[in-house]
Every structure is written in structure tokens, then in C-alpha cells.
Amino acid sequence: MEQSAQQTAHVEEHFTAPDVIRDIVIGMADGLTVPFALAAGLSGAVSVTTLIVTAGVAEIAAGAIAMGLGGYLAARTDREHYFAELERERTEVVELPDREKQEVRDILTQWGLNEQEAEPVIRALSRDPRRWVDFMMKFELGLEEPEPKRARNSSLTIGLSYIAGGIIPLAPYMLMANPVTALIISVVVTLIALFIFGFVKGKFTGVKPWKSAWQTTVVGGLAAGVAFLVAKFIA
């Protein structure tokens, strides 16, 4: 009875970050950091916020398009790679079955099965080419079929996340005429946003949330600080 209760109470928690979470992290991280650094840098060189807002909006638009396109192309490349490897495995199980059986045997022995235990699995797979190919794709190559709409969804998610992140450091410049005041508020708001974003990112990705929060905040703050000092030195 006690053992049954212990088994019932034990709940394993595993997190596999879905693609959408990864895309949000990519877009939001750069969206918070790059426009923040740009606005801070310009604050050290100009005396009005209009130019900062104009440059910031232009950068956000360009950055969102560039990163969204990058996400689209990366997802398309992953899909094309998957189907190229799928076609190759289909050909090999027909033309080189002995070699493919040996590869299955190698995989199974790596998992701790001896040759006698592996043989029934190999025979079962060889009777069903479709499952055989699926096995090789997953366990030899480590590939899963990408979702058909992955490229489109990835580009939109990354682009919109970049815009959402970029608006945060730029908002004070949109609301205030004094760049120094806007800079101070932008620094405070963005560092808080970076900290929260880093904490949430850590929760989703399995990294220690507090560690992730501080790392994200420090990186974003350093990028903005360097940009400000460079612009101030040049000006």
C-alpha cells in the first residue's frame, strides 16, 4: 500500500520546449536588446527624441523582417533536409538492406541489447519498410518531420516577438521630448523587462530562472551601455 502511494505521488516533469517558444525567445531577446542599444547610443549623440524614434522604428521594422525571413529560411531548410534524408533512407533499405540491418543492430546494441535480443527487432523492422525508415530517421539521424506550416509560423512568431520586444525600450522616447529623461526611463523599463523575460525563458527552457534572468539583464545592459559610450565618444 505504501509503495503504491509513493508511485502515485511521484510525478515526473519533463519540458520539451515547443518550436513556438523557441521562436518567441529568439525574437524577443533580440527585440529587447538591439533597439535598446540603438536608442541608448543615439541618446548620447542627439538632443531630440524625434530622431531616436524614427531610427528606432526603422530598426524594428528592418530587424523584424530580417529575423522573420531568417526563421522562415531556417525552417524551410530543415524541412528540405528532412525529406532529402527520408528519400535517401527509403532508397538504402531497398538497395542496401544488409548495411541498414547492421546499422539497426549497432543502435540496439548501444542501448544495451545483445545480438540475440536485437535480431527479433531487426526482423520485425525489415518486414515493414515504412516503419524501418521511420526508425532510421528517428534513431540513426535524430530527425522528426517538421510541421508543414512551420516556416510560415516561425517567421511570423519571430518577427512579431521582435516588434513586441523592440517597442518596450523605444516607448519612453515616443512619449517624452527630453532624450536624457527618456533614456533613464527606457533603461529602467527595459532592464526590468529583460529580467522578467530572462526569468520566464529560464522556466520554459529548463535553465535556472534566476540565473537566466540575471544573465539576460546583464547582456542587454552591457550592449546598451557600450552603444551609449561609443556614440558619446564619437559625438
Side-chain angles (χ1 to χ4, degrees), residues 12-218:
E12 291 190 10
E13 295 184 3
H14 301 284
F15 177 79
T16 301
D19 291 333
V20 66
I21 298 298
R22 182 178 64 182
D23 291 340
I24 290 173
V25 168
I26 292 171
M28 186 72 75
D30 280 6
L32 280 168
T33 304
V34 179
F36 180 37
L38 174 65
L42 289 175
S43 298
V46 301
S47 57
V48 292
T49 57
T50 306
L51 179 60
I52 298 173
V53 171
T54 302
V57 170
E59 194 287 325
I60 290 173
I65 293 171
M67 293 203 63
L69 180 60
Y72 178 85
L73 293 175
R76 280 292 299 272
T77 300
D78 288 344
R79 187 167 178 80
E80 291 168 359
H81 173 64
Y82 175 85
F83 283 106
E85 292 295 330
L86 179 64
E87 188 60 33
R88 184 176 65 83
E89 287 295 335
R90 285 172 175 168
T91 301
E92 289 181 349
V93 298
V94 174
E95 298 181 356
L96 302 167
D98 291 338
R99 192 185 76 177
E100 292 298 294
K101 288 178 182 179
Q102 183 58 48
E103 290 177 353
V104 174
R105 187 176 293 107
D106 292 341
I107 292 170
L108 295 175
T109 53
Q110 288 175 0
W111 291 349
L113 277 70
N114 59 43
E115 291 196 8
Q116 289 72 28
E117 293 168 332
E119 287 307 316
V121 179
I122 296 170
R123 288 196 298 270
L125 286 173
S126 63
R127 288 195 295 266
D128 188 341
R130 183 179 62 82
R131 293 184 183 276
W132 192 1
V133 169
D134 287 344
F135 180 90
M136 301 306 288
M137 292 295 290
K138 291 178 182 178
F139 300 109
E140 180 195 17
L141 302 177
L143 296 176
E144 296 278 354
E145 181 178 355
E147 296 180 8
K149 297 180 180 179
R150 167 69 183 144
R152 183 200 66 185
N153 294 342
S154 178
S155 63
L156 288 174
T157 303
I158 292 175
L160 292 175
S161 298
Y162 190 95
I163 293 171
I167 290 296
I168 293 173
L170 201 60
Y173 297 94
M174 297 177 177
L175 301 174
M176 300 177 182
N178 189 316
V180 176
T181 304
L183 172 63
I184 294 171
I185 296 176
S186 177
V187 168
V188 173
V189 170
T190 306
L191 290 179
I192 292 173
L194 284 166
F195 188 89
I196 294 172
F197 168 71
F199 187 89
V200 174
K201 180 181 70 173
K203 294 281 285 186
F204 273 111
T205 57
V207 180
K208 292 181 180 179
W210 291 106
K211 180 180 179 181
S212 175
W214 284 113
Q215 286 179 339
T216 305
T217 305
V218 169

